[in-house]
Amino acid sequence: MKLVRFDDWKTGLLVQLPIGLRVIDVVESLGALSFEAPISGVLNGILKDRGSWGPLIEHWGQASVGLRRLALLAAVGPGNSRLVIRRIDEIHFGSSSVNSNDVAALEIAELCEVAHDPAWREAMRRQPALPQRADEWIDGRVVSLDAHRRLKSDARGP
């Protein structure tokens, strides 16, 4: 499942439809889900007001059900008036109100999708390894921060 941030940090679900690649505005399309379904409330609570993706991942078991339902609704009835679907060329991936280092796209693969997929395993084998600690990555180089740290007692001098 591929998620993107667009138009001042709204959350979109990237879907391949017969008419081409499209983005479903998740929050604006929640009306297509039954309001009795608790999943609509979960997604709205997590993503309204351009919410963080952290809670989305934390509650993935529930959130993924609603996202899959939106994708299915778009696939079988892209003309559904309750779905807000946009072409890629209609959206803006940037925003002046967010940090340029914020996550703009997120792809989540579930265990059932990748466990028996040899192509996925091969793709992961070809990925470069990340540093053990996130703070070891500076300007595209891996550095040992211990080599650059100074204790307060070292700064005072003799």
Side-chain angles (χ1 to χ4, degrees):
M1 198 166 299
K2 296 177 184 175
L3 300 165
V4 296
R5 293 293 197 175
F6 72 100
D7 293 351
D8 200 26
W9 232 233
K10 293 179 183 179
T11 298
L13 177 61
L14 197 63
V15 292
Q16 181 65 51
L17 300 177
I19 56 175
L21 196 58
R22 298 292 189 262
V23 174
I24 301 171
D25 185 323
V26 175
V27 173
E28 294 296 322
S29 296
L30 291 177
L33 300 175
S34 169
F35 280 109
E36 282 84 45
I39 195 59
S40 178
V42 169
L43 283 171
N44 189 48
I46 292 171
L47 298 174
K48 71 176 180 181
D49 301 325
R50 287 113 174 102
S52 167
W53 281 345
L56 179 76
I57 294 168
E58 183 178 337
H59 300 285
W60 185 249
Q62 295 175 308
S64 65
V65 171
L67 293 170
R68 276 194 294 276
R69 180 84 172 125
L70 287 174
L72 180 63
L73 289 170
V76 297
N80 184 329
S81 64
R82 291 186 161 184
L83 288 175
V84 178
I85 301 175
R86 297 198 167 95
R87 292 189 328 255
I88 293 290
D89 62 350
E90 293 178 329
I91 64 174
H92 304 288
F93 287 100
S95 175
S96 60
S97 63
V98 297
N99 182 334
S100 63
N101 290 327
D102 284 347
V103 176
L106 179 68
E107 184 171 1
I108 299 175
E110 294 175 318
L111 184 58
C112 62
E113 297 170 331
V114 299
H116 304 291
D117 185 353
W120 182 84
R121 289 181 188 200
E122 181 59 30
M124 289 300 103
R125 250 192 295 269
R126 286 186 267 127
Q127 290 287 331
L130 294 175
Q132 290 181 356
R133 294 184 349 211
D135 62 352
E136 292 178 342
W137 189 264
I138 298 174
D139 296 331
R141 298 175 297 143
V142 177
V143 297
S144 173
L145 294 182
D146 292 335
H148 302 284
R149 287 190 182 134
R150 291 189 337 184
L151 300 174
K152 288 183 182 179
S153 61
D154 293 343
R156 279 189 239 144

